[in-house]
Amino acid sequence: MWFLLGGLVLAQVWYPLTTGDTRAGLTVATVLIGVLLSVTHALLSRGVRAAAALIGTAMLGGFAVEAIGVATGFPFGSYDYSGQLGPKLLGVPLIIPLAWTWMAWPAWLAALRVAKGRAARIAVAAVGLAAWDLFLDPQMVAEGYWRWHDPAPALPGVPGVPIGNHLGWLGFALLLMTALSFAAGPAVATPGDGPMLALWLWTYFSSVLAHAVFLGLPASAAWGGVLMGAVVLPLLPRLRA
């Protein structure tokens, strides 16, 4: 797990140093490593049931909601994908639902430590996953990987991404985490969750740094830093404990 995490970190560190097809390739590589990391960890730490639940809720559910979104404009607004992220099915690059799977698992494992009770854990995990989109969408729109047909109204300083998209993410994330909480089995934190928690923290801190310094997206660094930080930063004292 730590080896895979190291590969993911190297790919993400390399990303802002590249352009064009190389950058797109690193985006795909990062997602592939991430989904392998999350699904493998779910399988080894909690068994077939948890891995199957993650795939069913995040990967298949993520593909379904993206396909509906591309076809109807609900729940993310009217948008479409460019051809830079690989093959598509029903207008959705196959890499996209893998990204949901990659980040849903660490979001859930972090919530097990931050909150008590199923409802609170679902809320924390969903807010964390949806807040990650405050980094993801501005970055991907800036790269031209996808675009909204009507991106207003948007958050101040983050043109090109409608506020409705973020609300759509939050709504689906709540459904996803609710389903995952029931399907994955007992909600028990284990010492072997270290790589996933490190991934969660790395994603947050590296996104703030990259957007603020390397990618020229200071507003998304601020929005994501505050809103994702609200559910990520409380993890730190829990880890010390």
Side-chain angles (χ1 to χ4, degrees):
M1 295 296 96
W2 289 108
F3 178 79
L4 285 174
L5 178 59
L8 185 148
V9 169
L10 287 175
Q12 290 187 321
V13 168
W14 191 12
Y15 174 91
L17 306 178
T18 63
T19 58
D21 291 342
T22 301
R23 181 172 282 194
L26 283 172
T27 300
V28 173
T30 298
V31 174
L32 292 176
I33 295 171
V35 74
L36 178 62
L37 178 61
S38 290
V39 173
T40 301
H41 181 271
L43 177 65
L44 295 180
S45 67
R46 288 164 175 81
V48 173
R49 175 179 175 178
L54 179 61
I55 292 171
T57 59
M59 191 180 298
L60 299 182
F63 174 77
V65 76
E66 290 280 358
I68 292 170
V70 169
T72 69
F74 177 83
F76 307 116
S78 180
Y79 66 106
D80 57 55
Y81 289 98
S82 71
Q84 299 180 66
L85 295 179
K88 300 179 185 179
L89 179 62
L90 300 179
V92 180
L94 297 178
I95 201 70
I96 297 299
L98 301 185
W100 288 89
T101 312
W102 159 36
M103 292 305 298
W105 188 240
W108 175 245
L109 296 184
L112 296 182
R113 289 163 169 82
V114 171
K116 294 183 179 180
R118 186 188 302 274
R121 287 169 170 174
I122 289 170
V124 167
V127 169
L129 184 60
W132 174 56
D133 184 56
L134 294 165
F135 295 115
L136 179 66
D137 268 318
Q139 180 180 339
M140 298 298 104
V141 167
E143 295 295 339
Y145 297 154
W146 57 78
R147 67 182 181 91
W148 271 267
H149 301 155
D150 184 10
L155 293 173
V158 190
V161 183
I163 292 174
N165 168 70
H166 302 300
L167 298 177
W169 262 75
L170 179 60
F172 177 67
L174 286 167
L175 292 176
L176 189 163
M177 291 303 173
T178 299
L180 184 62
S181 73
F182 284 99
V188 178
T190 70
D193 293 343
M196 292 292 98
L197 301 179
L199 170 60
W200 189 233
L201 293 169
W202 161 258
T203 298
Y204 171 71
F205 286 110
S206 66
S207 295
V208 173
L209 177 63
H211 281 236
V213 178
F214 297 105
L215 300 177
L217 298 168
S220 58
W223 283 106
V226 171
L227 296 178
M228 189 175 179
V231 293
V232 172
L233 296 178
L235 176 64
L236 295 176
R238 270 66 170 185
L239 294 179
R240 291 183 61 190

